[in-house]
Amino acid sequence: MGIIIRQSFKASLSNYIGVIIGFASLIYFFPKFFTPSELGAIRLLIELGAIIGSFGLFGTTYSINRFFPYFKKPPHHNGFFFWVFAIPLCGFALISFNYLLFEYDFIKLFKSKDAHLIEQIYPMLIFLILGVMGQMVLESANANHGRIAVPNFLREIMIRSVLLASAGLFYFKYISFDMACWLVAIAYLMAFVGNLIYLRTLTPINIKPDFKFLKENPSIKKDGIQFTAWLFISSAAALFISKVDFLMVSATKSLSDTAIYSIGFYIAVLIEIPKRNISQIATPIIAEHAKNKNLSGLSTLYKQMASTQFLIGSLLFLLLWTNADTLFDFMPNGDFYRSGKSVIFIIGSAKVLEMIFAPVSPIINNSPFYFWNFITAIFSIISAVSLNYWLIPQYGINGAAIATLITSFVMYGLSALVVQIYWKINPFNKTQIISLILLTIGIAISMIPLNAIGNFWGNSLKSIAIILLFIMAIYKTSVSPEVKSGLQKIFKR
């Protein structure tokens, strides 16, 4: 776990800068530069690119993490990169065929009053999908070479900077809304190319297949086909579950509602930024433990990741929730977007839950019972679609957030149960009780009325109290030795 934390801290600089850019864009610039409907269209474009692109990958990102240890043999890794590129290219060809075939049916899915904006974003969607697919595949390849800093820079800083620049150019009438959407697609294509160039500096990229290696290792071939087939459905389903709320809000309400929901949702999603860093480094290590059947090491890593991420996630959740009104006060047209405040609390709760159970997915993916991800995904899809269909008409965007929270509980709960049954390991330990107590106290602090001194100063005082509470707990208890060590190094520097 120590190496994971160290590598995570090294990659965090890009994430912190990216957070600043993304946060400023989300809270101030995008609401100022776009109308709610235009912002909703931009968000829908990006979410569709992520969903459809994930489907086209056929589980390649998971396959890279699982099978690279078996192919790993410098310089050409037994033809591994042929499969890394060939499978997504087949997926992209299938997507492109359906993209051309079902354009009219796609536009009909959304409200007629927003149809003109849907038509505007449709042409660049296919290029965005290509960029998303390439970026995701090459990020996984780079992570398996122990490098995440440059991919993080491309994703967190470069893409967000291009998106912000395109919004500014549109606002000052240098470009049209169409061109702003094209720049969204171009940003992801740039990340794709940048990751490819960086991977080439780490290892030769030989796309010649090595059929002899597969012939000599028939078990890898058989397992690879089965694994990819299962993950083709389950990985796409997992992303669909995480995005179905956006799609159903857009389809049943309006793009303005999508914009409100996206603001609240992406404020809450800031909670999981540390999880992304830790997971990028941890997934290859989990794959190595699974390959060697090192259950002791896997169990220790599982508990440490869950405890560390629960602690960090709880603190970030409290800070975001405590300062929600301050954010809306600062935001242009903030009173309009304030109706998404409850979304921050509900989705934030879901993200804290995910922080605890985040390791279960890579553990299952790298185990002999990976097919359970497919079964879990089916249950979760049924839960997500039915709950959104039932709750959105009654509670609007809050209904979509509640559906996401319940679906997260179903999906991660089932996955954790599978890991417990098969490998007898779970993410829980006594130190998490301390984090739960801190979370409870923090929520109570956030509810203290200090309106007399204004939202900004009152929320700032509560935030300082929460931060001091967590720092004191980290130093005085065993809640997370890894976080304590990381803080000590930062303070020393």
Side-chain angles (χ1 to χ4, degrees), residues 241 245 261 265 347 350 388 399-409:
I241 291 163
D245 47 357
Y261 184 74
F265 186 94
I347 296 297
N388 275 283
I402 294 169
T404 299
L405 173 60
I406 297 173
T407 301
S408 293
F409 181 80

Side-chain angles (χ1 to χ4, degrees), residues 372-447:
W372 274 103
N373 260 348
F374 169 74
I375 298 172
T376 300
I378 295 300
F379 277 103
S380 300
I381 287 176
I382 294 171
S383 170
V385 174
S386 58
L387 286 169
N388 275 283
Y389 183 79
W390 173 44
L391 293 172
I392 290 176
Q394 295 188 57
Y395 304 107
I397 59 174
N398 288 337
I402 294 169
T404 299
L405 173 60
I406 297 173
T407 301
S408 293
F409 181 80
V410 170
M411 182 167 63
Y412 283 96
L414 288 174
S415 296
L417 183 62
V418 169
V419 173
Q420 174 65 39
I421 291 172
Y422 274 86
W423 273 358
K424 312 299 181 187
I425 60 176
N426 62 70
F428 304 114
N429 59 40
K430 294 179 181 178
T431 63
Q432 292 162 12
I433 297 174
I434 301 174
S435 295
L436 185 60
I437 293 171
L438 292 172
L439 179 60
T440 305
I441 296 173
I443 292 175
I445 292 173
S446 73
M447 297 173 65

Side-chain angles (χ1 to χ4, degrees), residues 1 4-5 271 274-275 278-279 282 298-316 351-360 363 426-439 470 473-474 477-484:
M1 187 64 189
I4 296 175
I5 294 294
I271 294 168
K275 182 189 78 174
I278 294 173
S279 296
L298 194 60
S299 177
T300 299
L301 182 61
Y302 188 13
K303 293 180 186 297
Q304 288 178 334
M305 287 180 66
S307 297
T308 299
Q309 294 185 155
F310 182 34
L311 176 68
I312 297 172
S314 296
L315 175 59
L316 294 177
K351 293 304 173 184
V352 172
L353 178 70
E354 290 177 19
M355 295 283 273
I356 301 173
F357 293 106
V360 296
I363 288 174
N426 62 70
F428 304 114
N429 59 40
K430 294 179 181 178
T431 63
Q432 292 162 12
I433 297 174
I434 301 174
S435 295
L436 185 60
I437 293 171
L438 292 172
L439 179 60
F470 271 71
I474 290 168
T477 71
S478 60
V479 61
S480 180
E482 296 78 22
V483 173
K484 181 179 179 179

Side-chain angles (χ1 to χ4, degrees), residues 285-300:
I285 298 174
I286 289 172
E288 197 71 37
H289 283 325
K291 176 185 172 234
N292 298 328
K293 295 183 172 54
N294 181 8
L295 291 186
S296 175
L298 194 60
S299 177
T300 299

Side-chain angles (χ1 to χ4, degrees), residues 131 145 154 161 201 249 252 260 263 281 299 314 333 339 367 375 405 408 434 438 445 456 491:
H145 285 81
L154 294 171
S161 296
T201 67
V249 168
T252 61
I260 298 170
I263 293 289
I281 297 296
S299 177
S314 296
N333 207 12
S339 57
S367 71
I375 298 172
L405 173 60
S408 293
I434 301 174
L438 292 172
I445 292 173
F456 176 79
F491 291 146

